[in-house]
Amino acid sequence: MNEIKNHPVIIIDGSLYLYSSYYGFREFQHTSGQSCGAIYGMLKMIDNIFKKYKHSEKFIIVFDSSQKTFRKKLFKEYKNNRMPMPNALCMQIQPLFRILKKIGIKVLTIPGIEADDIIGSLAYKLENIGEKILIISHDKDMLQLVTKNINIFNKKDNRIITPEVIKEKYGIAPKEFIDLLALVGDVSDNIPGIPKIGIKTALFLLNNFSNIKNIYNNIEKIQFLPLRNAKNIAIELKNNKKTAFLSYELAKIKLNISIDVNLNEMIIKKYCSKKTFRVFHKYISSF
């Protein structure tokens, strides 16, 4: 398995793993009957990461804001297919934040800004000052952030994602993943994409034209391509041009969010697994 060189800054996609922890340990309760599975699952995941990357000393965990984001203002149906956060999960968030602070892990959330945009902006800020970054996430949107110095660890398949891995699997560069999502859409975020265009067709178009802008600059050529239903695909593209560029804006992670965080704030002075879970047991008995 490929490993990013040196000791990277670890950025954890907290919002993503918060939900998977909640549903993975949904039955966990302490003696008062209060749910605590999300907290336990998050700490267990963090503990595993610390053990795997024990030579890294700089960690930060990023969460979504509860406020409306620019994407929701741009497209009111954005993420409309998601259920509201369960109350049992809501009640665990502040205790989780207190536990993370107690064990020395920097938590970052910015009002009105999604975790993806915070992670992207922070990663590129750190890369610009010479750091190597490892993002812990299995969100496919994150693939657009991958560079030589920004890799992604996908816990689902225990794999480090590099530009070479993306090129091998999809045949495109990481930044072109935005164009791919703009064409095929994203069901999880309710990004519409273009009707009747699946991933194979989208990759064929991108391999020929590199990006969505060039696809539309060459729209008259598409009907003549060696592509099944090429004429119908060209029609769908023409009829949904506004949707395509809207989907692109929704899928594109912002890299210019102002973030007032320095490396010293991310340093874990001394991590202890036993201490972490002692703090967990102490806090869950008080909320």
Side-chain angles (χ1 to χ4, degrees), residues 10 13 42 75 85-87 96 112 122 134-135 153 178 189 207 226 232 236 249 251 262 273:
I10 307 291
D13 186 352
M42 288 292 293
F75 183 55
M85 181 181 287
N87 187 56
L96 172 63
L122 179 60
L134 185 64
I135 299 170
F153 175 56
I178 311 170
D189 288 341
N207 284 325
N232 290 335
E236 291 292 347
E249 290 303 314
N262 62 53
S273 180

Side-chain angles (χ1 to χ4, degrees), residues 175-189:
K175 287 186 177 180
E176 293 171 356
F177 213 83
I178 311 170
D179 303 272
L180 179 63
L181 292 173
L183 291 169
V184 303
D186 186 350
V187 174
S188 64
D189 288 341

Side-chain angles (χ1 to χ4, degrees), residues 14-15 17-19 21 36-46 61 63 89-103 105 107 276 279-280 283-284 287:
S15 291
Y17 290 110
L18 183 66
Y19 276 88
S21 295
C36 60
I39 300 174
Y40 175 80
M42 288 292 293
L43 295 180
K44 185 175 177 63
M45 181 269 291
I46 291 168
I61 184 164
F63 290 91
L89 176 54
C90 287
M91 295 180 68
Q92 297 181 64
I93 292 176
Q94 289 308 313
L96 172 63
F97 284 7
R98 290 196 295 270
I99 292 170
L100 293 174
K101 182 179 180 181
K102 186 73 174 178
I103 62 179
I105 300 176
V107 174
T276 296
V279 173
F280 165 67
Y283 270 87
I284 63 171
F287 78 97

Side-chain angles (χ1 to χ4, degrees), residues 25-259:
F25 298 94
R26 197 171 182 177
E27 303 303 318
F28 274 48
Q29 295 180 339
H30 61 75
T31 53
S32 71
Q34 181 68 50
S35 296
C36 60
I39 300 174
Y40 175 80
M42 288 292 293
L43 295 180
K44 185 175 177 63
M45 181 269 291
I46 291 168
D47 188 53
N48 289 336
I49 290 170
F50 278 134
K51 289 174 180 176
K52 184 175 180 66
Y53 296 100
K54 57 186 177 181
H55 296 298
S56 293
E57 61 175 12
K58 295 181 283 290
F59 292 80
I60 190 166
I61 184 164
V62 180
F63 290 91
D64 280 327
S65 165
S66 59
Q67 297 181 13
K68 184 181 290 188
T69 69
F70 85 93
R71 291 183 181 85
K72 191 68 174 176
K73 296 174 183 176
L74 190 64
F75 183 55
K76 65 180 182 180
E77 287 83 14
Y78 179 69
K79 291 189 176 181
N80 264 10
N81 52 342
R82 297 193 182 186
M83 298 293 290
M85 181 181 287
N87 187 56
L89 176 54
C90 287
M91 295 180 68
Q92 297 181 64
I93 292 176
Q94 289 308 313
L96 172 63
F97 284 7
R98 290 196 295 270
I99 292 170
L100 293 174
K101 182 179 180 181
K102 186 73 174 178
I103 62 179
I105 300 176
K106 174 70 176 176
V107 174
L108 182 58
T109 181
I110 300 175
I113 306 296
E114 287 189 59
D116 288 6
D117 298 314
I118 299 173
I119 291 170
S121 298
L122 179 60
Y124 273 71
K125 176 183 178 180
L126 294 174
E127 184 185 39
N128 287 337
I129 61 173
E131 294 291 333
K132 294 185 180 294
I133 299 95
L134 185 64
I135 299 170
I136 312 294
S137 178
H138 58 254
D139 188 345
K140 61 181 177 294
D141 297 0
M142 291 288 175
L143 297 183
Q144 64 187 270
L145 300 177
V146 172
T147 68
K148 178 182 178 181
N149 297 313
I150 301 174
N151 292 177
I152 293 174
F153 175 56
N154 186 329
K155 285 181 75 280
K156 282 189 172 180
D157 54 17
N158 196 37
R159 190 181 193 188
I160 297 286
I161 308 298
T162 64
E164 293 75 21
V165 170
I166 293 174
K167 187 69 175 179
E168 180 184 351
K169 184 172 182 179
Y170 296 100
I172 59 176
K175 287 186 177 180
E176 293 171 356
F177 213 83
I178 311 170
D179 303 272
L180 179 63
L181 292 173
L183 291 169
V184 303
D186 186 350
V187 174
S188 64
D189 288 341
N190 208 29
I191 296 175
I194 306 298
K196 300 179 182 179
I197 291 187
I199 191 166
K200 289 184 178 180
T201 299
L203 289 173
F204 180 89
L205 293 171
L206 291 174
N207 284 325
N208 278 271
F209 301 110
S210 298
N211 56 57
I212 195 168
K213 185 176 181 180
N214 284 342
I215 288 173
Y216 278 97
N217 286 340
N218 293 277
I219 194 73
E220 299 302 330
K221 298 178 182 178
I222 290 174
Q223 61 181 314
F224 303 112
L225 292 175
L227 181 65
R228 185 179 179 184
N229 297 321
K231 289 183 179 180
N232 290 335
I233 289 168
I235 291 170
E236 291 292 347
L237 284 165
K238 288 178 181 179
N239 291 342
N240 293 278
K241 184 176 181 179
K242 287 185 178 180
T243 302
F245 283 96
L246 169 64
S247 297
Y248 184 92
E249 290 303 314
L250 294 172
K252 185 179 181 181
I253 294 175
K254 284 186 172 291
L255 305 177
N256 59 352
I257 302 299
S258 178
I259 299 176

